[in-house]
């Protein structure tokens, strides 16, 4: 007998956040989140996404033991401004029991029907800066902190519940030794002269801050044409600024500006925190901070988190300016591997940007959809 209980207290929320720690305790590849940060994600007083979205969280119990969880999410910006009548769901984890996964998905579908929405899709978060997709290939690689991990049995649960693949995502890797500076060195000098551009270098986080709002504006412009894109609001910008920017080494943030000091290109790269987070095991104290700070300074693996070029400057080789900046920093730091976070399979422009580095797809993901 499966019982579904809605999260209604801080204690329930902690149970919701900590369930994967039990489910994946023997996995070499799952990367634990920081428990306190996950709790804040669902705190209406902390996360401004709740100004335009709502979420209900559910736990599945069997024999008085937690056996699954799901977040049912509605993003009202997506529904009202884009006319996407979508019921989102994410943070979906469960033991290998079809009754459990179906009972949790039923809750999401009931909410979707009660709001007259047309379909459900997941796993997704609140916005495009959240985690996305269930792993369908490539289970034997550690996950970056910005993605979800799951066991291979998850896919059959989606199919058994009548869900069909909707969007595909690829994660890629290339060794830094694949990068031949000849492919961008000369070109970037030419491009900077032709379009009167300059690359900004940062050594302190406070130097980055005046540009962060402009970066999110450019992010909104750059990604607007992609399927499933939801704009980041002004209040969310302030939240992400506080949550993410201090995590990123300032030398790993690259901005390109034109002669009027307008931002026309940006990229954010993060050190790989996965091994440090495994050691921290969800807690910043007493030693979690130490592991994370060590990874920030010394990790030889980096993750390309975001890259965007203003629509007016696309297909003009601006990324060569960005790559040249990273080449210098990565060479100095002895970087060994470059990872890319999940990218839509149909994002042709992004494939073109990376083609010279011979990246290898090491993991695939999908979101799944069901009409209501």
């Amino acid at each position: 007998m499966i019982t579904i209980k809605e999260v209604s207290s801080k204690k329930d929320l902690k149970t919701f956040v900590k369930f994967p720690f039990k489910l994946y305790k023997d996995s070499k590849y799952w990367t634990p989140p920081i428990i306190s940060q996950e709790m804040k994600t669902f705190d209406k007083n902390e996360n401004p996404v709740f100004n335009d979205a709502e979420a209900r969280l559910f736990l599945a119990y069997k024999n008085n033991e937690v056996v699954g969880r799901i977040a049912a999410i509605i993003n009202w910006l997506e529904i009202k401004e884009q006319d996407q009548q979508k019921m989102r769901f994410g943070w979906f984890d469960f033991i290998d029991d079809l009754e459990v996964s179906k009972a949790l998905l039923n809750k999401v579908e009931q909410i979707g029907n009660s709001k007259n929405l047309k379909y459900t899709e997941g796993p997704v978060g609140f916005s495009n800066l959240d985690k996305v997709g269930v792993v369908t290939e490539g289970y034997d690689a550690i996950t970056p902190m910005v993605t979800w991990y799951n066991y291979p049995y998850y896919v059959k649960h989606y199919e058994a519940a009548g869900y069909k693949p909707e969007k595909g995502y690829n994660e890629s890797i290339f060794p830094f030794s694949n990068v031949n500076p000849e492919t961008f060195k000369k070109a970037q000098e030419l491009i900077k002269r032709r379009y009167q551009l300059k690359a900004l270098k940062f050594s302190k986080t406070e130097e980055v801050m005046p540009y962060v709002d402009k970066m999110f504006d450019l992010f909104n412009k750059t990604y607007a044409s992609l399927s499933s894109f939801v704009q980041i609001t002004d209040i969310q910008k302030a939240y992400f600024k506080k949550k993410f920017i201090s995590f990123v080494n300032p030398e790993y943030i690259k901005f390109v500006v034109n002669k009027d000091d307008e931002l026309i290109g940006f990229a954010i790269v993060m050190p790989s925190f996965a091994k440090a987070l495994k050691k921290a095991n969800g807690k910043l104290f007493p030693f979690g901070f130490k592991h994370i700070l060590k990874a920030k300074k010394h990790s030889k693996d980096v993750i390309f988190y975001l890259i965007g070029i203003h629509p007016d400057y696309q297909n003009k080789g601006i990324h060569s300016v960005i790559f040249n900046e990273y080449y210098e920093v990565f060479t100095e730091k002895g970087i060994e591997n470059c990872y890319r976070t999940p990218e839509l399979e149909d994002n042709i422009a992004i494939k073109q940007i990376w083609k010279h580095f011979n990246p290898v797809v090491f993991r695939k993901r999908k979101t799944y959809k069901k009409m209501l």
Side-chain angles (χ1 to χ4, degrees), residues 195 218 221 262 264 309-316 318:
Y195 300 111
L218 184 51
K221 275 198 191 99
E262 293 165 336
I264 59 100
I309 308 293
H310 191 287
D312 293 351
Y313 287 85
Q314 283 171 12
N315 304 313
K316 289 185 165 83
I318 309 301

Side-chain angles (χ1 to χ4, degrees), residues 34 276 279-281 283-293:
I34 297 296
K279 287 177 187 166
N281 198 31
K283 297 188 174 86
L284 287 173
F285 302 102
F287 302 116
F289 260 128
K290 193 180 78 174
H291 297 307
I292 288 163
L293 285 173

Side-chain angles (χ1 to χ4, degrees), residues 235-249:
I235 197 161
Q236 283 174 275
K237 288 176 203 167
Y239 171 73
F240 286 127
K241 194 190 292 188
K242 192 170 119 190
K243 186 177 177 184
F244 287 123
I245 301 301
S246 60
F247 249 113
V248 185
N249 308 32

Side-chain angles (χ1 to χ4, degrees), residues 128-140:
N128 298 70
L129 287 176
D130 284 322
K131 300 176 183 184
V132 69
V134 63
V135 178
T136 55
E137 287 177 40
Y139 299 99
D140 55 351

Side-chain angles (χ1 to χ4, degrees), residues 106-160:
N106 279 344
K107 275 289 172 198
V108 174
E109 290 158 23
Q110 283 166 17
I111 295 167
N113 279 319
S114 74
K115 303 283 188 184
N116 296 316
L117 298 176
K118 293 197 174 127
Y119 64 96
T120 64
E121 187 185 347
V124 293
F126 292 96
S127 78
N128 298 70
L129 287 176
D130 284 322
K131 300 176 183 184
V132 69
V134 63
V135 178
T136 55
E137 287 177 40
Y139 299 99
D140 55 351
I142 195 165
T143 42
M145 75 173 193
V146 293
T147 58
W148 281 312
Y149 181 75
N150 56 268
Y151 290 125
Y153 67 74
Y154 275 43
V155 174
K156 76 177 182 200
H157 284 249
Y158 282 88
E159 291 166 353

